[in-house]
Amino acid sequence: MAVRLQMKLGVVPDADRVDDSPDTLVVVEPNVGSVARSKGNLYLLVTGRVPGGRVREATRLAADTIRSEYYYDESAGIRVCLEKAIRLANKRLAHVGDRLPSGGSQEGSGPIGVAVAVVRANELYVATVGPAEAYLIRGARLSTLPDPHRDRGLPTGDLEPDVWRGELAVGDSLVLVSPNMMGRLGPDELKDAMVTLHPQSAIDHLHHQFVATDGSGSDGAIALEATEVAVTTKQRTLVPVRPPEPLAGAPDRSPIPLADSVTDGVAAARDSARAARSKAGNAFEGGIRRLQDLLPRRSPARHRVTPLSARRESQRRAAIALLVFLLLAATLGLGVSLWAPPAPIGRLDSLTAAQRALAAAQDDINRVFGPGVNIIDADPDAATRLLADAYQQLRTAGASGAGESVLAPLRQQVLAGLDSLYKVKPVGSQILFTFAGAKTPVDLRALVRGPDGAPYVLDKTSKSVLRIDLAAKKATTVLKAGQSGAAEPRLLATGGRDLLILDSKNQLWRWRPADTHGRGTLRSVRVRNSSSWGTDVRAIGTFIRDPQAGLYNLYVVDPSEEQVLTYAPAIDGSGYPALPTRRLPTNQKVDDVTAMYIDSNIFLAQGGAVRRVVPTSDWRMAAPGSRKIDGPGDDAVRPAPRYTLLTGTGDPASGTLYLYDVNSARIVAMEEPGPTGDFVEQCRLANGDPGWKDLRGIYYVAGTGGAPPSIVWIDANRVGVSVLQAVPEGPSASPSPSRASPSASPSRKPKATPRP
């Protein structure tokens, strides 16, 4: 009988590998009998001459390609399938060859080596390509299986894989090892370890020796030893033992044992049953006759005639009773149908739909992120279409009952790809000042950057305007309702050296800082016919007209006039005595304006969209040859944008506008020049930080000394800043607003603000 072989295996554990090792080890021993008989066991080592992350990714790509292609290909024998798998791995490595460091000893060759062995029954197939070695140990003699083109590492343009075939006997050992490891240890050390130790112990010993000699880089090794599997042999045929029957075969008895006893018992039981049945029948018939004799009999002389009216009354009562019974039955049936729990109808159809949607989503994801495939950079339009479809399929699967544990990793992969396509930048956030611990709660409504660079906020609760000193962590009251005859402050703006405040009586106030500690002068500014604005002014703004004299135009969004009114300043800067000019070519509805930004162009956040007033047009993002759309165009995964705040870099020729989208809690950046504007990027807080859910005001701060710019913002009771620079995300990262400044309450005592 032929001897069956069993492989004892030894590999370098992942936990013991050196940190910079680029090697990849693959061991496949199929459990399915048909696959094991046709393809056998696969032992694969992919090495790299140069350490580093890129080479490690390349070895993994080559190993996955060889394994999947070898077991998938059924067109030829083992030798041809191995050669085709190695050629396909070389082709895929050639696609990423420009990202691999040069490691070949010949020009045009790469740093990747392959050593592969297949064991089927007692057949052995071995192939090596590039920097990888294979050794066969038989009878304590070490033989090498060299590659004639060992200096040609993958990827290479001239690949000639040669597969060696031989017989494997009991006691033979095979070692696939990195040449970097063999260069430090030598073949004698390898032979002694394999002859005297178990394959796993031998590999552990060799790797420890490699590490002890300060070895680094490639350290992969796989060892096999063929052993015999014991076979169970058949000794003799087992015969069952039966006890003898002494009464079998007697002439006066049945040939079947105990048959006579059983027959006699059955006959006696049958006779007894017949006697009992006869007695029971006679008694039953007598009882029936006696019962019939006891029944009452009608006397022939006592006949009675029922009148017609009585019969009709009886019929009427019977009909009413039947109707009541039917109504009661219908009521009970209706109640049961209403109160009974609904049956799970269509559950099977929902699960089938969920499976189809998951399969479609997985197919789209594989076409974008499959092995050796990434079309995000090569074909972004196709990647966008496929990932958007995958996202919708995942939503369909979730609605059909698919588990969140299955959907979550797929959804995360899809959103990561879409974020890359839609230029999403995760940014951090830092709290500069907070009123959370103030004795009197605040309700911040507006934010501007003052002429001295400090943030100024409008608090609706205290009806005051506050200056935030970020260095001293202090809030100082600049103007409060009732101070100097001022009414409740409603709107803020800055112009030149002044902070402008419009109160609820349409009185314009100018506050000019005198130092950096919150002291300044306050005075009222006369604006012609300001009392006619009404109580519904939506926004005010300024534009520097004469930088030398510090003169600036005043812009007012007035819904009662259905216009954006522009006031020119007096020569001495004392006020605005002239009648305003109308910036809109025709009167239009402006009562839905939420913010205004001016830098020679006038932009309005109106009705959730952005509109450019000078010249008048809708400011939208548009791609050549496509219809105009609002925002970055990612409506497939996020709700349509609704812009409520805007700011900009201040450069009308080549600047950037920053728009706050309240629906997605993000800031969208778009180029300013041109009638449409081009999408630049979008920013959101990293790691799910909800700090941008309720922004009330924003302004842009340019970076200095090469530093990135930032956005200063407020919500109901905080002042924060977000640097527009990408930050890492992941389980180890945490939301950044934890670095909040100590809470503070505004100083209720205003600084000296004499009114001229």
Side-chain angles (χ1 to χ4, degrees):
M1 182 177 293
V3 177
R4 290 193 299 165
L5 298 182
Q6 178 182 6
M7 296 296 108
K8 291 183 179 180
L9 179 65
V11 297
V12 179
D14 291 338
D16 297 341
R17 301 273 296 278
V18 296
D19 295 335
D20 58 348
S21 174
D23 296 355
T24 300
L25 291 80
V26 175
V27 176
V28 182
E29 296 179 338
N31 296 325
V32 181
S34 61
V35 178
R37 288 190 296 272
S38 62
K39 291 294 187 178
N41 300 342
L42 176 69
Y43 306 94
L44 175 62
L45 170 64
V46 184
T47 65
R49 284 196 180 100
V50 182
R54 292 185 176 179
V55 179
R56 187 181 299 111
E57 293 177 1
T59 60
R60 291 175 182 171
L61 173 62
D64 292 342
T65 302
I66 294 174
R67 175 182 56 188
S68 59
E69 180 65 20
Y70 172 72
Y71 280 101
Y72 177 78
D73 190 1
E74 299 286 350
S75 62
I78 293 178
R79 175 176 293 174
V80 177
C81 290
L82 280 178
E83 292 176 355
K84 292 169 65 177
I86 295 174
R87 288 193 180 96
L88 181 59
N90 179 62
K91 183 182 296 184
R92 291 190 175 177
L93 288 174
H95 291 305
V96 298
D98 55 345
R99 291 182 285 177
L100 293 176
S102 177
S105 58
Q106 284 193 1
E107 183 179 358
S109 63
I112 307 302
V114 175
V116 59
V118 174
V119 178
R120 183 179 66 177
N122 63 339
E123 298 177 79
L124 175 63
Y125 298 84
V126 182
T128 59
V129 177
E133 298 182 359
Y135 295 91
L136 179 64
I137 303 173
R138 176 173 292 172
R141 297 181 61 185
L142 183 68
S143 302
T144 181
L145 303 176
D147 177 17
H149 305 287
R150 180 178 172 184
D151 52 349
R152 298 179 183 176
L154 302 182
T156 179
D158 187 11
L159 178 62
E160 298 177 0
D162 185 17
V163 179
W164 177 86
R165 181 188 180 280
E167 299 291 332
L168 196 64
V170 176
D172 291 350
S173 299
L174 177 69
V175 180
L176 308 179
V177 65
S178 164
N180 182 46
M181 192 171 178
M182 287 301 298
R184 285 188 173 271
L185 301 180
D188 292 336
E189 185 74 20
L190 173 66
K191 184 183 71 173
D192 294 343
M194 291 300 300
V195 170
T196 59
L197 299 175
H198 184 277
Q200 185 60 54
S201 301
I203 290 298
D204 291 340
H205 171 72
L206 294 173
H207 191 264
H208 291 163
Q209 291 291 104
F210 175 74
V211 175
T213 58
D214 297 331
S216 63
S218 177
D219 65 343
I222 301 177
L224 308 174
E225 182 181 355
T227 60
E228 181 180 1
V229 178
V231 180
T232 303
T233 60
K234 183 178 180 181
Q235 300 295 333
R236 62 187 179 87
T237 304
L238 301 179
V239 180
V241 178
R242 299 184 179 89
E245 174 55 54
L247 299 179
D252 57 342
R253 303 297 298 267
S254 172
I256 301 175
L258 303 179
D260 294 332
S261 299
V262 174
T263 303
D264 295 341
V266 171
R270 183 182 58 195
D271 295 340
S272 299
R274 287 177 179 175
R277 184 175 59 188
S278 178
K279 292 181 180 180
N282 295 335
F284 182 74
E285 292 175 358
I288 292 297
R289 286 194 295 269
R290 285 192 295 271
L291 182 61
Q292 290 176 347
D293 292 340
L294 294 176
L295 291 176
R297 299 185 180 185
R298 179 180 297 177
S299 175
R302 300 177 67 179
H303 291 286
R304 181 178 300 175
V305 178
T306 303
L308 180 59
S309 60
R311 288 202 304 270
R312 290 180 176 176
E313 182 65 20
S314 300
Q315 293 173 357
R316 186 179 64 82
R317 292 179 179 179
I320 294 175
L322 179 61
L323 181 60
V324 171
F325 175 77
L326 293 176
L327 290 176
L328 180 61
T331 304
L332 290 176
L334 181 61
V336 170
S337 64
L338 291 177
W339 290 101
I345 301 174
R347 178 62 177 168
L348 182 60
D349 294 339
S350 297
L351 293 177
T352 303
Q355 292 176 355
R356 286 199 300 265
L358 279 175
Q362 188 65 62
D363 180 67
D364 290 339
I365 294 173
N366 291 338
R367 293 172 65 183
V368 179
F369 301 111
V373 178
N374 191 335
I375 66 172
I376 289 182
D377 296 329
D379 193 354
D381 293 336
T384 302
R385 184 178 64 258
L386 291 172
L387 292 179
D389 181 72
Y391 185 83
Q392 295 301 326
Q393 294 292 348
L394 292 178
R395 294 183 60 182
T396 302
S400 300
E404 185 61 23
S405 59
V406 178
L407 298 175
L410 297 177
R411 187 186 300 112
Q412 183 178 4
Q413 187 178 9
V414 170
L415 289 178
L418 288 174
D419 283 353
S420 176
L421 290 167
Y422 291 129
K423 303 179 182 179
V424 176
K425 177 190 293 184
V427 300
S429 182
Q430 180 183 358
I431 304 304
L432 301 177
F433 192 89
T434 179
F435 295 89
K439 295 181 180 179
T440 303
V442 299
D443 184 12
L444 304 183
R445 292 301 182 91
L447 167 72
V448 294
R449 186 184 188 188
D452 54 353
Y456 288 76
V457 296
L458 191 153
D459 175 23
K460 183 163 181 65
T461 301
S462 62
K463 301 179 181 180
S464 59
V465 177
L466 307 173
R467 178 186 182 274
I468 308 300
D469 190 344
L470 300 179
K473 303 300 180 185
K474 183 179 181 181
T476 304
T477 302
V478 171
L479 175 65
K480 185 176 182 181
Q483 176 186 346
S484 302
E488 177 184 353
R490 293 179 57 237
L491 298 172
L492 298 179
T494 55
R497 299 173 296 167
D498 304 324
L499 171 70
L500 298 180
I501 307 169
L502 183 67
D503 65 14
S504 58
K505 294 183 178 179
N506 293 334
Q507 176 62 51
L508 186 65
W509 299 86
R510 183 182 69 192
W511 189 83
R512 181 171 295 175
D515 53 27
T516 59
H517 301 289
R519 289 185 290 266
T521 58
L522 177 70
R523 57 163 293 183
S524 63
V525 180
R526 178 178 176 273
V527 182
R528 184 169 180 176
N529 295 335
S530 62
S531 59
S532 63
W533 294 343
T535 60
D536 55 353
V537 174
R538 303 299 299 173
I540 62 173
T542 64
F543 180 72
I544 299 296
R545 181 172 181 171
D546 187 352
Q548 299 296 331
L551 301 179
Y552 45 86
N553 292 342
L554 175 67
Y555 297 83
V556 179
V557 179
D558 185 4
S560 61
E561 293 287 338
E562 297 184 341
Q563 274 290 335
V564 176
L565 304 178
T566 304
Y567 291 86
I571 297 178
D572 58 355
S574 60
Y576 299 88
L579 290 173
T581 58
R582 298 172 175 260
R583 300 303 297 173
L584 299 179
T586 59
N587 292 345
Q588 302 177 22
K589 178 182 177 182
V590 293
D591 56 354
D592 54 351
V593 172
T594 57
M596 178 171 59
Y597 173 74
I598 304 172
D599 60 354
S600 79
N601 292 322
I602 302 176
F603 295 94
L604 300 178
Q606 182 177 5
V610 175
R611 180 183 180 190
R612 187 169 67 172
V613 177
V614 182
T616 303
S617 67
D618 287 336
W619 191 84
R620 299 176 179 174
M621 168 186 169
S626 66
R627 65 182 181 87
K628 292 183 178 181
I629 55 176
D630 292 325
D634 54 354
D635 296 350
V637 295
R638 294 181 179 88
R642 185 165 66 90
Y643 303 119
T644 56
L645 303 172
L646 72 161
T647 185
T649 60
D651 185 359
S654 60
T656 303
L657 286 183
Y658 294 91
L659 321 174
Y660 171 64
D661 175 20
V662 68
N663 286 344
S664 299
R666 59 180 171 174
I667 292 179
V668 178
M670 295 187 179
E671 293 181 357
E672 183 175 345
T676 57
D678 293 326
F679 170 70
V680 178
E681 64 182 6
Q682 53 178 317
C683 302
R684 59 167 175 80
L685 292 184
N687 301 304
D689 185 359
W692 282 0
K693 287 292 185 181
D694 182 28
L695 297 192
R696 310 287 184 86
I698 59 174
Y699 66 77
Y700 172 88
V701 179
T704 58
S710 58
I711 295 291
V712 178
W713 51 266
I714 62 168
D715 57 12
N717 56 10
R718 300 181 302 172
V719 180
V721 64
S722 296
V723 180
L724 302 182
Q725 183 179 28
V727 298
E729 289 186 292
S732 60
S734 58
S736 53
S738 57
R739 302 192 309 168
S741 302
S743 60
S745 58
S747 173
R748 296 302 179 184
K749 183 178 180 181
K751 298 296 182 179
T753 54
R755 180 180 178 185

